[in-house]
Amino acid sequence: MSQHSKRADNFIKDEARTDWHDKALWHVREKRDASAEKLPEWELLRATASQVKDNVLSNLDNYLVQFEAEAKKNGVIVHWAEDAADHNNIIGEILKKHNARKIVKSKSMLTEECKLNDFLEEKDIEIIDTDLGERIIQLRKEPPSHVVLPAIHIKKEEVGELFHQKLGTEKGNSDPTYLTKAARTHLRNKFFEADAAITGVNFGIAETGGVVICTNEGNADMGCHSAPVQIHCMGIEKLLPNAEHLGVFIRLLARSATGQPSTIYTSHYQKPRPGTEMHVVIVDNGRSTHLGKEDFRNSLKCIRCGACMNTCPIYRRSGGHSYHSTIPGPIGAILSPNKNLKEYSDLPFASTLCGSCSDVCPVKINIHEQLYKWRQEIYRNNELLKSKTIPLKITTKVFENPSVYNSLGKFARGSLRNLPNFMIYNGWNAWGKQRDLPEAPKEGFKEWYKKNRDE
Ligand code: SF4
């Protein structure tokens, strides 16, 4: 069993959780569809976004230099981080310089990727995730299971119990409004005490040197508006050439993510407030190597809307943690092997290749084609699990030999019809664990064709 299938096996043991996880995400997918259908120009927006990102990826060096120059003109301090360690050390140094011990952070998959929280906690620096879903999983000491809905795998009763233990709410009260109010009070105090605020970046604008952050809770703004130091962590691929391109991406992002016309807050940060510091940390961490891979580079177009997760039948029924990588779901399955082929060689197989992910992707990434290409790469690099290579080799031999194929077909049909159930449905038959095998026909297609071809 691969890591993904083992973890998925664990997730689906709780059938009720699996069912509502599946339904909840499908509901988000339906909201996305309804929202997209209201815009006659939806496909044009997707095509434009894809082309803008093509341009960005082909001219990334120039746009990055332009972004840095413009940001510096605005008084922003720009840093370059080659990898996760660099990113964490840069932030550590900024915080040290300001003697900052209490930090608030709004949702950022990049800081998850770099394991910033662990790094700062080791230095006894308090770092509080301020997005409600992120705070829930932080209190549970878990990674997010979705890029937009990080706590989608957790029931409200579990949140009620967690908040009772950690925040002192009433025992047994899992009313979402009550719990949200409790979280708001708890977080408000953290904002007031914060020495620095850290955020991710949805879009960096090369033309202006500004960054754009989209949230529904306004938590990025609460942090940046109250702390004397603001730090924005941005992957190199997040750039857009001009501010006018936001008109395309902002319309696509929230609709694809949750079906909203736009996020509640779309905040533009361009320069520090008087008396404060604004930093942007630009991070590579393997992205430029990824950019050099012709077949896989366009996965760097991703704007982290999560739509491919919400639609994926495997993600919905296996949960985000089964992907054991920072970014789960279909996009995670094509991004992660770029970082470590051996560790993530199971992920491109966690897919039916139905193509639904590519159909919903707002920047038209050919996700299912890349999943298929990764499978070939994994085979070529001898990273395929034995549980796959042995059956594939046997199947090749059978398919190469028509008489063996015909005899085995006859044998299998006879066995399915005549063997008792306990011999068919047992530990060796993974397919039969959750479903009945199809009824075996009396004859194979070849036999049927021989009899009927003259009619
Ligand atoms: S790959 Fe496409 S659909 Fe998936 S998160 Fe990225 S932008 Fe959204």
Side-chain angles (χ1 to χ4, degrees):
M1 252 191 179
S2 70
Q3 273 224 57
H4 177 271
S5 49
K6 266 186 216 150
R7 286 162 179 254
D9 207 28
N10 206 28
F11 184 78
I12 59 175
K13 276 188 188 131
D14 185 342
E15 281 195 29
R17 188 190 300 271
T18 311
D19 283 348
W20 65 249
H21 188 265
D22 181 18
K23 281 197 189 109
L25 289 162
W26 186 249
H27 178 61
V28 183
R29 155 81 210 251
E30 287 177 324
K31 288 205 294 183
R32 172 257 173 220
D33 290 352
S35 183
E37 275 161 22
K38 282 190 194 140
L39 292 188
E41 69 275 33
W42 183 253
E43 288 306 317
L44 180 62
L45 284 173
R46 286 180 74 212
T48 309
S50 180
Q51 285 164 15
V52 170
K53 280 288 186 182
D54 273 334
N55 173 327
V56 169
L57 294 181
S58 300
N59 299 287
L60 198 50
D61 48 349
N62 294 330
Y63 287 129
L64 283 165
V65 170
Q66 186 187 3
F67 174 87
E68 181 189 31
E70 295 303 322
K72 280 182 169 168
K73 276 189 216 160
N74 297 333
V76 177
I77 304 166
V78 179
H79 311 258
W80 296 87
E82 194 180 333
D83 54 24
D86 238 7
H87 164 266
N88 293 346
N89 286 328
I90 288 167
I91 292 179
E93 284 304 311
I94 300 169
L95 299 180
K96 195 167 151 195
K97 180 181 140 201
H98 292 273
N99 196 24
R101 311 297 307 170
K102 293 179 181 236
I103 318 299
V104 285
K105 176 162 78 76
S106 73
K107 198 157 81 59
S108 149
M109 295 312 290
L110 177 60
T111 58
E112 287 286 338
E113 175 186 322
C114 297
K115 310 245 174 301
L116 178 68
N117 285 20
D118 296 344
F119 174 83
L120 294 181
E121 278 163 4
E122 270 168 29
K123 295 182 178 306
D124 274 339
I125 294 175
E126 178 188 82
I127 176 147
I128 301 288
D129 279 301
T130 55
D131 168 277
L132 177 57
E134 286 282 326
R135 185 65 182 138
I136 291 169
I137 56 160
Q138 188 183 30
L139 289 171
R140 281 169 64 105
K141 301 194 187 311
E142 279 179 10
S145 70
H146 188 286
V147 292
V148 174
L149 311 160
I152 186 70
H153 58 291
I154 303 168
K155 298 176 191 170
K156 66 181 188 332
E157 291 74 19
E158 291 168 324
V159 177
E161 184 52 32
L162 178 76
F163 279 16
H164 169 65
Q165 285 172 18
K166 307 280 184 186
L167 308 183
T169 57
E170 257 171 54
K171 184 151 182 70
N173 194 338
S174 58
D175 174 55
T177 310
Y178 169 72
L179 296 177
T180 307
K181 276 187 183 159
R184 186 180 291 162
T185 310
H186 157 71
L187 289 170
R188 190 155 292 249
N189 293 331
K190 298 293 178 189
F191 284 121
F192 289 143
E193 291 167 1
D195 303 314
I198 299 177
T199 78
V201 170
N202 289 93
F203 306 102
I205 311 299
E207 176 191 31
T208 64
V211 294
V212 179
I213 299 154
C214 305
T215 71
N216 274 331
E217 297 169 25
N219 50 320
D221 309 278
M222 285 285 286
C224 292
H225 293 170
S226 45
V229 182
Q230 65 190 89
I231 305 169
H232 306 283
C233 307
M234 178 176 82
I236 55 172
E237 80 285 14
K238 293 284 178 182
L239 289 185
L240 296 180
N242 304 109
E244 67 180 7
H245 295 129
L246 284 170
V248 174
F249 285 86
I250 297 293
R251 298 180 82 197
L252 286 168
L253 177 60
R255 284 180 172 89
S256 299
T258 57
Q260 295 164 263
S262 71
T263 43
I264 306 289
Y265 300 89
T266 301
S267 307
H268 303 247
Y269 292 97
Q270 201 128 327
K271 56 172 72 167
R273 284 174 287 121
T276 69
E277 271 184 20
M278 174 172 163
H279 298 257
V280 176
V281 186
I282 303 174
V283 186
D284 186 322
N285 203 29
R287 286 163 175 76
S288 41
T289 311
H290 183 165
L291 188 64
K293 296 178 185 165
E294 195 53 39
D295 286 338
F296 303 110
R297 62 183 298 208
N298 85 8
S299 49
L300 287 169
K301 291 178 180 179
C302 177
I303 55 170
R304 305 285 191 267
C305 70
C308 57
M309 291 159 215
N310 305 339
T311 199
C312 176
I314 305 295
Y315 175 88
R316 284 189 276 117
R317 296 197 72 82
S318 64
H321 289 161
S322 63
Y323 291 80
H324 62 95
S325 67
T326 307
I327 309 285
I331 182 65
I334 58 173
L335 288 174
S336 307
N338 285 291
K339 292 199 179 294
N340 187 331
L341 189 63
K342 192 175 183 60
E343 190 176 345
Y344 300 114
S345 64
D346 56 328
L347 295 185
F349 294 91
S351 169
T352 61
L353 298 185
C354 65
S356 185
C357 45
S358 307
D359 284 348
V360 297
C361 178
V363 285
K364 291 174 93 78
I365 300 172
N366 56 337
I367 306 171
H368 70 296
E369 288 171 4
Q370 292 192 36
L371 285 165
Y372 182 53
K373 281 206 172 119
W374 271 122
R375 292 182 185 187
Q376 294 163 23
E377 278 297 302
I378 289 160
Y379 176 74
R380 270 197 284 276
N381 284 278
N382 289 323
E383 295 295 352
L384 209 53
L385 289 176
K386 288 264 176 303
S387 58
K388 287 199 195 311
T389 49
I390 295 171
L392 281 174
K393 276 185 185 148
I394 296 171
T395 312
T396 308
K397 289 281 169 223
V398 172
F399 281 7
E400 278 172 356
N401 190 327
S403 59
V404 175
Y405 176 82
N406 291 339
S407 315
L408 271 179
K410 222 177 236 172
F411 174 73
R413 286 193 295 278
S415 305
L416 275 178
R417 275 198 307 272
N418 300 316
L419 287 179
N421 258 4
F422 78 89
M423 291 186 73
I424 297 174
Y425 295 99
N426 54 40
W428 294 94
N429 179 3
W431 175 267
K433 271 188 197 167
Q434 304 282 337
R435 41 179 121 52
D436 289 337
L437 289 167
E439 208 174 301
K442 285 203 181 70
E443 56 192 5
F445 173 74
K446 207 169 169 187
E447 290 151 330
W448 176 89
Y449 184 69
K450 256 189 203 164
K451 271 196 238 160
N452 292 286
R453 67 180 158 187
D454 296 335
E455 284 175 17

